[in-house]
Amino acid sequence: MSLIKALEIIAILVGAFSGFIEARRKRMDVVGIFTIAFITAFGGGTLRDILLDKRPLFWVTHQEYAVLIFVLALISAPAIRTLRRVISERLIIIADALGLGLFSIVGVSEALAAGMPLFIASMMGVITGIFGGILRDIVCNEVPMVLRDGRPYAICSFAGCWMYLLMQKVGIPPDFALWTSAMSISLARILTWHRGVRLD
């Protein structure tokens, strides 16, 4: 398995986890939990593949991704119901930040592999990173987090994507560049949220 595929699987799991948490906060049943987890995990990558004219979509090619989310939704429903009292905004922010970092770097890597120019590749990274969360919040009847909390979110993704592109340009080993850039995005998001850094 290539590192980028491993990152993609981790990103899907983290994205699904944030969907599980939000669905339980809204007191959804198992169908709702699966739906929210599915669109959170696959929303950004689906839009990326559509824009890159890549067919079939990545989760159609790898049906095991969708099966995994389905099984986890069945398992997680009773577990998250039990843990509902300890699920906090902080936990959602951390899960969302991890997903943002991982999805963003997977997105920019896929765009580069498709021959996209650097700026377009960076935008594909941002789209992959944020769109699943936007869909999750819309379906949960919330203003998307990226638009409402006033803290750097898409900017963290954009900066991290360019960090990855620059590291590639100067010849830093790809594996190191992937992990470092993804974790930098996640840490930047968590730190700016924790310290109350705002853009408004």
Side-chain angles (χ1 to χ4, degrees):
M1 181 186 297
S2 67
L3 178 59
I4 193 65
K5 288 303 176 188
L7 277 178
E8 187 171 63
I9 292 171
I10 297 171
I12 287 168
L13 290 173
V14 172
F17 180 68
S18 73
F20 293 150
I21 296 171
E22 188 63 26
R24 283 312 307 171
R25 282 183 66 193
K26 296 294 184 178
R27 300 178 181 274
M28 295 184 183
D29 61 15
V30 66
V31 175
I33 290 173
F34 171 71
T35 302
I36 299 302
F38 189 92
I39 64 175
T40 307
F42 300 132
T46 297
L47 180 57
R48 176 201 67 219
D49 285 356
I50 291 171
L51 293 174
L52 293 176
D53 198 23
K54 184 178 178 182
R55 298 292 189 280
L57 302 175
F58 77 105
W59 56 268
V60 176
T61 303
H62 301 282
Q63 68 162 347
E64 61 272 17
Y65 294 172
V67 172
L68 178 61
I69 300 303
F70 178 75
V71 172
L72 289 176
L74 295 177
I75 296 172
S76 71
I80 294 179
R81 187 182 303 119
T82 302
L83 297 174
R84 189 185 324 175
R85 292 182 180 179
V86 301
I87 294 173
S88 64
E89 183 185 8
R90 182 185 300 271
L91 186 58
I92 293 176
I93 291 292
I94 291 172
D96 203 61
L98 290 173
L100 178 68
L102 293 165
F103 275 125
S104 295
I105 299 306
V106 169
V108 71
S109 299
E110 292 286 348
L112 287 176
M116 294 295 107
L118 297 183
F119 184 77
I120 299 302
S122 69
M123 293 306 297
M124 290 297 171
V126 175
I127 287 169
T128 308
I130 72 173
F131 195 69
I134 289 175
L135 288 177
R136 176 200 64 210
D137 292 345
I138 290 173
V139 174
C140 290
N141 200 30
E142 300 275 356
V143 177
M145 186 184 296
V146 66
L147 304 177
R148 65 179 155 86
D149 78 347
R151 298 178 177 90
Y153 188 83
I155 289 175
C156 293
S157 172
F158 186 72
C161 288
W162 275 101
M163 177 182 175
Y164 173 71
L165 292 170
L166 291 173
M167 291 174 80
Q168 287 251 300
K169 198 75 173 174
V170 300
I172 291 175
D175 289 3
F176 181 80
L178 282 166
W179 282 112
T180 303
S181 302
M183 291 303 101
S184 294
I185 293 171
S186 299
L187 287 173
R189 168 59 181 164
I190 292 169
L191 287 174
T192 53
W193 178 82
H194 179 69
R195 295 186 176 277
V197 177
R198 302 189 66 85
L199 299 174
D200 51 8

